[in-house]
Every structure is written in C-alpha cells, then in structure tokens.
Amino acid sequence: MKRYKVEMQREGSVKYFFIRDMETLEIVLLPSKYLMHQVRANRSPNTIRRNAFALAYYWEYLLEEEHEAEDVYGMDYETQYDFFAEYLKWLKAGKHTDNLDKEPQNKTCNAYLKEVFRFYSFLIYRKDRLWRSLELKNARTEAGMIT
C-alpha cells in the first residue's frame, strides 16, 4: 500500500485536492499548499488532480530514497541531475503505481517531472515561510536544541 494518497474535498462547486500521509493521517503541507495555489489560480480541477498525483508519486519516491523534499536544495548540480534521472527511471519502471499492465509513456513521466519542477519553482518564488521554518527546525535539531 502506498503511503501518500491524493484526496479531494468539495466546497460548493470548488474541488480542493490535498495529499495525505496514510501512516500519520496528516496532510502533507507543502504540496497541498501548492495545490491550493493552483485552485486560487483557477486551474482546471482535472489539471490539479493530475498534479496532485504527480506530487504524491514524488513523495513516494522521496520516501523510498530516504530523502526529504528540501534535500534537493543541498545537492550540487550533478547530484540533482542524477537524482531526477533516477526518479524518471523509477517512474518508467512503474514503481509509482500498482497497475503494471502497461509501461508508462515517456511523455507521462516527463509531465510528472515537470510538475515536480513547478512545485520547487513555486516554493522558491514564494520564498515560503513554511519552507524557511522547516530549515530553521532542521538547523535547531542538528544543533541539539530540539529533540
């Protein structure tokens, strides 16, 4: 069973998508915040749904690779390149889905990767306070201030 699940809630005619961690039952905040941004930007519900699945697949990959989303920022260019190339291979191998009847097309895998890049661009553009608070928490944890 996959750890991250895309869920949808409807408020009137508006559909809100978010990603839930099925182990803790908490909403995964950063990608869900990005999905909320897309609702506010009047993106099609079908587009937002597809993007939600792309991010949920990426979170599964991060889990499998024992990385956090913010780890990408600490990687040098070559390491980032290799990391995302391995993500494409992971997608192409069908590890993101339980439906192994057919191999995903290259354009589908590339679309998922593009959405991950858009997510990171959103975080950089917004200079998200949540992202900075995560960095601060990590710094405090490494310094032994938080246990």
Side-chain angles (χ1 to χ4, degrees):
M1 184 172 109
K2 301 288 183 192
R3 180 167 172 180
Y4 298 100
K5 181 179 177 186
V6 173
E7 295 185 0
M8 188 269 297
Q9 233 177 1
R10 184 179 298 235
E11 189 174 298
S13 63
V14 180
K15 292 180 179 178
Y16 296 97
F17 292 90
F18 55 94
I19 298 172
R20 185 175 302 278
D21 182 335
M22 299 309 291
E23 192 172 284
T24 64
L25 299 178
E26 293 180 1
I27 293 174
V28 184
L29 198 55
L30 290 175
S32 297
K33 188 173 178 90
Y34 172 66
L35 296 170
M36 178 62 75
H37 165 74
Q38 292 187 328
V39 170
R40 290 186 188 124
N42 276 336
R43 299 289 187 265
S44 159
N46 290 336
T47 299
I48 298 169
R49 180 180 181 275
R50 185 201 65 211
N51 296 345
F53 277 101
L55 292 174
Y57 300 151
Y58 181 62
W59 249 252
E60 290 289 346
Y61 176 72
L62 288 171
L63 178 68
E64 190 173 300
E65 294 297 311
E66 298 179 352
H67 280 289
E68 298 289 329
E70 63 266 18
D71 293 348
V72 171
Y73 289 114
M75 296 176 184
D76 61 38
Y77 177 79
E78 187 175 339
T79 306
Q80 275 187 7
Y81 178 88
D82 292 342
F83 180 76
F84 288 117
E86 288 302 316
Y87 175 58
L88 281 174
K89 290 177 191 174
W90 183 85
L91 288 168
K92 190 67 177 164
K95 294 183 180 181
H96 65 291
T97 182
D98 294 330
N99 181 8
L100 299 176
D101 293 340
K102 63 178 187 172
E103 182 178 273
Q105 295 182 353
N106 288 342
K107 66 181 183 179
T108 302
C109 297
N110 288 332
Y112 293 156
L113 181 60
K114 279 191 230 178
E115 195 53 39
V116 170
F117 289 162
R118 284 187 196 105
F119 165 72
Y120 280 112
S121 293
F122 167 78
L123 291 179
I124 291 169
Y125 176 74
R126 292 277 316 269
K127 296 181 181 173
D128 200 300
R129 289 180 300 203
L130 290 172
W131 194 264
R132 288 194 303 260
S133 71
L134 282 174
E135 289 175 338
L136 181 61
K137 181 181 176 187
N138 287 341
R140 287 181 179 164
T141 302
E142 289 172 5
M145 300 170 92
I146 298 176
T147 56

